[in-house]
């Protein structure tokens, strides 16, 4: 028996040393940053993005330009697509994250990110004043800056002009109200054609709903981020969310699928929903699919100012990065005028670029910039570090409303279930 | 009459299995405008075969194909060799702790991958294997529980008299395995090979976690690139799915008759 | 066939009837299973122990790690309704999926086991869905199940039936997931088919001489002879049911109203959406134990119902075989 064990131990030892030997060589190659066939001086900078398709191609082009401007540097663009969070989890978990990465969820990740105030303040090339005001707030935790804005979008209502023309309904205009919106949705619904006035997401991102809640004069959380009772379950919050549940119930809106299902984008492209609420992302694909599409600002609740929510993508540097200066150079390059002009998938963050390209004159883009001026409120996830937990309850409540529950009731329950996370 | 019923059932079930895939193929062939018609159009009015080429060329799919073939071939070879040895060990020997160890083998099938992922990533990172194909190949050379279990079940159905006779004649265990058992296992080994090819070819999570650089990507990672955070390129997904399904399907088509035909001639008939 | 191999083997090995054998005989089984032992120790055991350890910690992927003893386990059982919801969903799914999966795979395999023309085509057709990658599978199913625009409801409407919005209706969503999962039964069918082909024809012959009809033959010959295969498929089905994640993740996201929120998805979200690695590890260890116990029970019970020819003691078949062998020789 002893002999057997010692034999196995011996064999294991041999195998381990073989494995680590062949691993070792790989490891050395990796840490010294030599790409395959790269010269010894080449430094590899890892840049992680969630973008795909054309947006990714542009990012690769920007990376190539950066390489050209910085000889001896290779930018490895790592496209994580749908697996972005999982890849970052593995990377941070093993202290092997990319040097530069796209980022929006700062409350979750900020402890692993490099504070950027020092870089941003010192570096006049960045030209902070050219950025739209307020964008930097989305990359801050407390007073520390963790991300440089790279792109953003606000949300508007898309409408299918053809369906409006067929029904003889005039196109919606900026300054319209939710009552008008619901009325139009009714008129454009035709059950026999399986056509609906509006599409409601079965699984809403509560982040996106904040615009409606703010517009009705409420919010999910108190401005100091400490209380949700009386905010998340206020009459106004419930009213805003109930409205969508009611539209599904009365048939003027259709419930559009969850993650992998036929999305509202798809059904809008098919000409089966007349109005759809979203960011800038699907605009190009709507055009490509041949939809005669218009955009309009969000409707208002009577007598209250319209508010909007802004989704920002920023660039961050990992705390564990071994080449932070180079990483900063890349970030700066990425948000320079030239790079921003190349990127078309979201809205430019620099005012000078927008003015130069006359983006805010384009009728399709104009509502996005109008909504930008209405995006002054701070989203809940930046106000409380435990928001993720609260949001779990809130999301379930919102989903229940879309399936017919009473908003006031389920929101009260959600507040009750969430209170413990805020203590 | 009975034959007719059999055929009727076979055809009905085949249609159930094929119909949704038929849609995948036609989706890949449609023009953008026809993509979102309701009720759906089964046959596209214009067959846009160019969609296939466009999707394939939109990313370095040739490179992805090469990576996938390397991973699949090497890991399949590894599984065949290692699992045969291990399954034989479990099926034909009495030894201390066998049943316990076999239960451990089974238990490894039940480990949820989500939790071992990060420690495994750390380990491969320590070995310097991240962003290489090694994490996707090397572990295959040490057997996988599913195949060990499968092969063990097969070996157990072979009559023991076969190896006993050989052992009496002085053949060593290794000889018995390679000259008596392995030839009889042919069909089940092909079965294992087919399963490993399929799972390797379609593996998404492994490559996703362990590969960073596009030059190392596999076909499924390329495929997932059509599904971004903000939108899905359904047509390209369907086109690429159709294309990358062809090799495993061909392998299956040629292997299946050995799998089902071969078993009947195993040693059971003596 | 086998006879020849046997013969060759005898000739080949007669020369080296070695001392080696005696010396190494005791270690031989361990050497055979060594690859697995090594792989287990290096690639599985370490990560597994690590996950056990972190299950006693508050271990966010980013941020500070704190030891909290059994708190994760306590929270899970006493203070997390999602734990029970997801566990219940998974048990319901398993109760539907496991038996159906085995019955359908076995049924299809038996259909294919008939002598029919074009069996290669049918086999390939039944296996086809198993070749499709997850991303595409989810899209295909979403198109099948869509309430207003799906083919399933289009098909039903031809018969005047108004189908529900399958994936957005809590009454149907789990059933829809079961059906979608059953679609990928190809591997299991193949294993059954291989098992069925392995049943010696003479068993059926002698059964029919004894006057057994088709149904009797099925229960007294077919089923007993494929019990090792059934055991395999049963255990792997149970494991698959508990680990079901891809479809939920890609198709329903656990909804509507958590009706398809599988335990594996709950674990996944705790790890990668809420970044609570420690908690997720505790979830995983609990599930691991459940499946382990289930498997152990199935395995223990198998001694009573699984029949291995290779393990068979002296019985009538041996005698028959030796008779036949004698004739052949």
């Amino acid at each position: 028996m002893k002999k057997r064990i010692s034999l196995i131990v011996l064999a294991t030892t041999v195998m381990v040393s073989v494995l680590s030997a062949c691993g070792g060589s790989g490891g050395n190659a990796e840490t010294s940053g030599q790409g395959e066939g790269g010269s010894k001086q080449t430094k590899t900078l890892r840049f992680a993005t969630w973008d795909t398709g054309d947006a990714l191609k542009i990012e690769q082009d920007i990376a190539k330009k950066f390489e050209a401007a910085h000889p001896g540097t290779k930018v490895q663009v790592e496209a994580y697509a749908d697996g972005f969070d999982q890849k970052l989890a593995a990377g941070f978990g093993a202290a092997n994250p990319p040097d530069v990465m796209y980022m929006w969820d700062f409350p979750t990740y900020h402890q692993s990110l490099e504070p950027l105030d020092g870089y941003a303040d010192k570096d006049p090339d960045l030209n902070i004043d050219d950025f739209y005001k307020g964008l930097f707030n989305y990359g801050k935790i407390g007073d520390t800056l963790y991300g440089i804005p790279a792109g953003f979008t606000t949300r508007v209502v898309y409408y299918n002009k053809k369906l409006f023309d067929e029904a003889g309904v005039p196109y919606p205009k900026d300054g319209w109200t939710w009552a008008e919106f619901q009325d139009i949705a009714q008129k454009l619904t035709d059950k026999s054609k399986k056509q609906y006035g509006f599409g409601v997401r079965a699984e809403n991102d509560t982040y996106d709903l904040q615009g409606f809640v703010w517009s009705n004069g409420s919010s999910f959380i108190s401005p100091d981020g400490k209380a949700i009772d009386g905010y998340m379950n206020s009459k106004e919050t419930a009213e805003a969310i109930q409205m969508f549940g009611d539209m599904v119930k009365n048939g003027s809106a259709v419930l559009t699928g969850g993650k992998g299902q036929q999305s509202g984008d798809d059904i809008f492209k098919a000409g089966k929903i007349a109005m759809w609420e979203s960011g800038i992302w699907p605009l190009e694909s709507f055009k490509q699919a041949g939809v005669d599409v218009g955009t309009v600002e969000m409707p208002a609740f009577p007598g209250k100012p319209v508010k909007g929510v802004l989704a920002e993508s920023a660039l961050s540097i990992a705390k564990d990065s071994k080449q932070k200066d180079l990483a900063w150079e890349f970030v700066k390059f990425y948000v320079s005028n030239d790079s921003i002009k190349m990127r078309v998938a979201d809205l430019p963050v620099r005012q000078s670029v927008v003015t130069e390209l006359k983006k805010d004159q384009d009728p399709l883009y104009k509502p996005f910039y109008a909504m930008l001026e209405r995006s002054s409120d701070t989203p809940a996830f930046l106000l409380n570090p435990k928001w993720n937990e609260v949001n779990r309850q809130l999301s379930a409540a919102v989903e229940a409303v879309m399936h017919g529950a009473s908003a006031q009731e389920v929101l009260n329950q959600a507040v009750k279930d969430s209170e413990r996370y805020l203590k | 009459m009975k034959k007719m019923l059999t055929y009727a059932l076979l055809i009905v079930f085949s249609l159930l299995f094929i119909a949704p895939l038929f849609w995948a193929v036609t989706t890949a062939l449609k023009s953008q405008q026809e993509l979102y018609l309701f009720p759906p159009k089964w046959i596209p009015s214009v067959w846009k075969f160019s969609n296939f080429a466009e999707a394939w060329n939109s990313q370095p799919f040739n490179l992805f194909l090469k990576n996938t073939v390397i991973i699949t071939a090497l890991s399949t070879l590894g599984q065949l060799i290692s699992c045969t040895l291990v399954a034989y060990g479990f099926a034909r020997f009495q030894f201390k702790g066998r049943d316990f160890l076999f239960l451990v083998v089974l238990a490894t099938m039940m480990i949820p991958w989500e939790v071992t992922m990060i420690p495994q990533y750390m380990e491969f990172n320590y070995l310097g294997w991240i962003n290489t194909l090694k994490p996707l190949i090397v572990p295959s050379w040490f057997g996988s529980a599913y195949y060990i279990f499968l092969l063990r079940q097969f070996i157990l159905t072979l009559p023991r008299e076969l190896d006993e006779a050989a052992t009496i004649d002085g053949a060593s265990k290794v000889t018995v395995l390679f000259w008596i058992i392995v030839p009889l296992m042919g069909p089940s080994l092909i079965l294992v090979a087919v399963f490993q090819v399929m799972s390797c070819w379609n593996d998404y999570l492994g490559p996703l976690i362990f590969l960073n650089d596009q030059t190392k990507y596999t076909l499924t990672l390329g495929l997932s690139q059509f599904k971004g955070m903000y939108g899905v390129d359904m047509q390209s997904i369907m086109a690429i799915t159709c294309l990358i399904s062809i090799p495993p399907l061909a392998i299956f088509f040629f292997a299946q008759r050995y799998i089902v035909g071969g078993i009947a001639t195993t040693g059971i008939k003596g | 066939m086998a006879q020849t191999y046997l013969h060759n083997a005898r000739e080949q090995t007669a020369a080296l009837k070695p001392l080696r054998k005696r010396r190494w005989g005791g270690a031989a089984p361990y050497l055979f299973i060594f690859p697995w032992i090594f792989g287990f120790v290096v690639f599985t055991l370490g990560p597994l122990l690590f996950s056990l350890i972190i299950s006693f910690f508050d271990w966010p992927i980013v941020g500070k790690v704190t030891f909290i003893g059994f708190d994760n386990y306590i929270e899970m059982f006493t203070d997390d309704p999602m734990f029970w919801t997801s566990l219940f969903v998974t048990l319901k799914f398993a109760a539907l999926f496991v038996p159906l999966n085995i019955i359908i795979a076995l049924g299809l395999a038996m259909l294919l086991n008939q002598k029919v023309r074009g069996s290669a085509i049918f086999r390939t057709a039944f296996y086809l869905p198993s070749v499709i990658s997850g991303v595409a599978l989810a899209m295909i199913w979403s198109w099948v199940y869509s309430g207003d625009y799906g083919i399933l409801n289009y098909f039903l409407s031809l018969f005047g039936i108004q189908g529900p919005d399958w994936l957005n209706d809590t009454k149907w969503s789990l059933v829809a997931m079961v059906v979608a999962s059953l679609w990928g039964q190809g591997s299991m069918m193949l294993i059954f088919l291989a098992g069925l082909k392995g049943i010696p024809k003479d068993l059926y012959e002698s059964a029919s001489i004894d006057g057994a009809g088709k149904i009797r033959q099925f229960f007294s010959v077919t089923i007993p002879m494929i019990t090792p295969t059934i055991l395999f498929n049963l255990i792997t089905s149970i494991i698959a049911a508990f680990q079901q994640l891809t479809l939920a993740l890609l198709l329903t996201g656990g909804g509507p109203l958590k009706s398809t929120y599988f335990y594996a998805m709950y674990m996944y979200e705790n790890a990668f959406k809420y970044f609570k690695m420690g908690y997720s590890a505790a979830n995983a260890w609990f599930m691991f134990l459940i499946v382990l116990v289930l498997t152990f029970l199935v395995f223990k019970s198998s001694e009573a119902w699984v029949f291995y020819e290779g393990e068979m003691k002296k019985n009538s078949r041996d005698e028959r075989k030796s008779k036949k062998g004698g004739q052949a020789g």
Side-chain angles (χ1 to χ4, degrees), chain B residues 78-80 82-84 86-88 90 100-111 139-154 192 195-196 199, chain C residues 33 35-37 39-40 43-44 191 231-233 235-236 239 243 288 292 295 299:
Chain B
Q79 291 286 11
L80 286 176
S82 57
C83 293
T84 304
V86 178
Y88 179 70
F90 277 114
F100 172 74
L101 281 177
F102 190 67
L103 210 63
V104 178
V105 172
L106 292 186
T108 59
M109 277 200 286
M110 301 153 208
I111 300 170
S140 297
W141 285 78
F142 300 98
S144 115
Y146 184 82
Y147 306 129
I148 293 172
F149 186 18
L150 185 67
L151 291 178
R152 169 194 180 260
Q153 297 301 86
F154 271 102
V192 166
F195 286 168
Q196 176 67 15
S199 70
Chain C
I33 64 169
W36 173 77
I37 294 184
F40 175 72
F43 298 120
T44 310
I191 295 171
L231 173 67
F232 177 85
N233 281 342
I235 289 179
T236 51
I239 295 172
Q243 293 187 345
F288 184 53
L292 200 63
T295 311
F299 219 73

Side-chain angles (χ1 to χ4, degrees), chain C residues 201-220:
Chain C
K201 291 277 180 293
D202 53 350
L203 285 184
Y204 288 106
E205 283 158 24
S206 45
S208 77
I209 290 167
D210 291 346
K214 286 278 169 207
I215 294 171
R216 270 279 312 277
Q217 284 183 24
F218 175 72
F219 285 107
S220 64

Side-chain angles (χ1 to χ4, degrees), chain A residues 1 3-4 7-9 11-13 15-16 19 82 85-86 88-90 92-93 105 108-112 193-196 202-203 254-262 267 272-273 388-389 391-392 396 399-401 403 420-421, chain C residues 23-24 26-27 30-31 34 37-38 41-43 61-64 75 79-82 138-139 142-143 146-150 165 167-169 249-258 261 266 268-276:
Chain A
M1 191 64 197
K3 205 162 196 177
R4 267 180 242 153
L7 192 76
I8 287 169
V9 169
T12 309
T13 324
M15 290 299 293
V16 171
L19 277 185
D82 212 19
D85 280 323
Q86 227 176 339
L88 282 196
F92 282 125
D105 189 0
T108 304
Y109 287 101
H110 74 275
Q111 283 161 301
S112 296
K193 284 198 275 182
K194 298 196 168 175
Q195 177 187 312
Y196 299 87
E203 289 166 54
V254 65
L255 214 52
T256 66
K259 201 168 178 203
Q261 298 166 46
Q262 274 168 340
I267 303 175
K272 295 290 176 183
I273 49 181
N388 241 342
E389 301 285 355
N391 191 33
R392 215 170 175 170
E399 198 194 352
V401 175
H403 281 92
R420 63 199 175 110
Y421 297 115
Chain C
R23 228 199 300 152
W24 290 67
Y30 297 97
L31 285 180
F34 174 74
I37 294 184
F38 177 83
V41 171
V42 173
F43 298 120
I61 287 174
V62 293
K64 230 175 75 216
E75 181 185 344
D79 206 17
D80 188 351
M82 277 305 119
M139 297 186 110
S142 89
W143 174 77
S146 163
D148 276 324
Y149 317 114
D165 187 356
L167 294 174
N168 275 322
D169 187 327
L249 205 59
L250 293 175
L251 193 53
T252 61
L257 302 179
K258 304 290 172 201
Y261 195 60
Y266 163 75
Y268 179 91
E269 287 202 340
N270 279 336
F272 297 115
K273 195 166 165 193
Y274 303 106
F275 278 9
K276 301 198 281 188

Side-chain angles (χ1 to χ4, degrees), chain C residues 8-22:
Chain C
N8 285 344
R10 278 178 203 166
E11 276 185 8
Q12 303 254 344
T13 54
L16 28 111
K17 185 194 281 180
L19 283 161
R20 283 181 73 198
K21 200 197 111 200
R22 223 172 302 138

Side-chain angles (χ1 to χ4, degrees), chain C residues 202-203 206 315-325:
Chain C
D202 53 350
L203 285 184
S206 45
N315 65 16
S316 58
R317 256 184 58 72
D318 275 272
E319 286 158 32
R320 204 171 58 243
K321 184 173 280 166
S322 60
K323 228 185 286 168
K324 271 178 102 180

Side-chain angles (χ1 to χ4, degrees), chain C residues 105-125:
Chain C
L106 181 58
L108 291 176
M110 293 196 48
L111 265 181
L112 287 175
N113 198 30
Q114 320 275 327
K115 274 216 157 50
V116 286
R117 275 168 197 282
S119 57
I121 305 283
F122 289 123
R123 271 178 226 143
T124 311

Side-chain angles (χ1 to χ4, degrees), chain A residues 40-238:
Chain A
K40 272 178 195 151
Q41 301 300 316
T42 305
K43 280 189 252 168
T44 300
L45 187 77
R46 295 173 57 201
F47 166 50
T49 171
W50 54 55
D51 277 315
T52 56
D54 292 336
L56 173 64
K57 289 230 167 67
I58 293 167
E59 285 161 20
Q60 284 164 335
D61 289 342
I62 295 175
K64 279 197 197 100
K65 278 195 164 178
F66 180 79
E67 286 170 2
H70 298 76
T73 307
K74 184 183 176 301
V75 179
Q76 180 172 301
V77 179
E78 304 183 356
Y80 297 162
D82 212 19
F84 192 78
D85 280 323
Q86 227 176 339
K87 286 290 292 185
L88 282 196
F92 282 125
N96 182 28
D99 299 295
V100 179
M101 75 214 81
Y102 259 100
M103 183 53 59
W104 66 269
D105 189 0
F106 291 97
T108 304
Y109 287 101
H110 74 275
Q111 283 161 301
S112 296
L113 301 176
E114 177 75 5
L116 296 177
D117 302 280
Y119 298 87
D121 294 345
K122 263 190 298 185
D123 205 327
D125 298 354
L126 187 65
N127 194 5
I128 292 188
D129 295 336
D130 192 22
F131 284 81
Y132 276 100
K133 239 191 266 157
L135 286 182
F136 275 91
N137 292 336
Y138 283 76
K140 271 187 187 158
I141 296 292
D143 284 331
T144 317
L145 180 68
Y146 291 98
I148 303 294
F152 74 98
T153 182
T154 51
R155 302 177 75 86
V156 300
V157 173
Y158 288 93
Y159 59 93
N160 185 328
K161 290 184 180 167
K162 196 172 131 238
L163 298 185
F164 275 75
D165 292 344
E166 277 170 8
V169 177
Y171 302 149
K173 283 200 189 66
D174 296 343
W176 57 329
T177 64
W178 284 107
E180 285 163 5
F181 170 86
Q182 283 170 285
D183 185 47
I184 294 175
Q186 288 280 12
K187 283 187 187 144
L188 286 167
T189 298
D190 183 346
K191 283 275 163 55
S192 66
K193 284 198 275 182
K194 298 196 168 175
Q195 177 187 312
Y196 299 87
F198 186 59
V200 171
R201 293 177 183 82
E203 289 166 54
N204 281 283
D205 192 334
T206 58
Y207 185 86
D208 303 335
L209 293 177
Q210 286 177 114
F212 311 132
V213 173
W214 292 334
S215 294
N216 205 19
S218 182
S219 75
F220 288 143
I221 197 162
S222 62
D224 62 0
K226 291 209 169 94
I228 51 172
D229 196 11
Y231 294 91
M232 203 166 100
N233 58 347
S234 73
K235 197 175 118 265
E236 289 78 17
T237 306

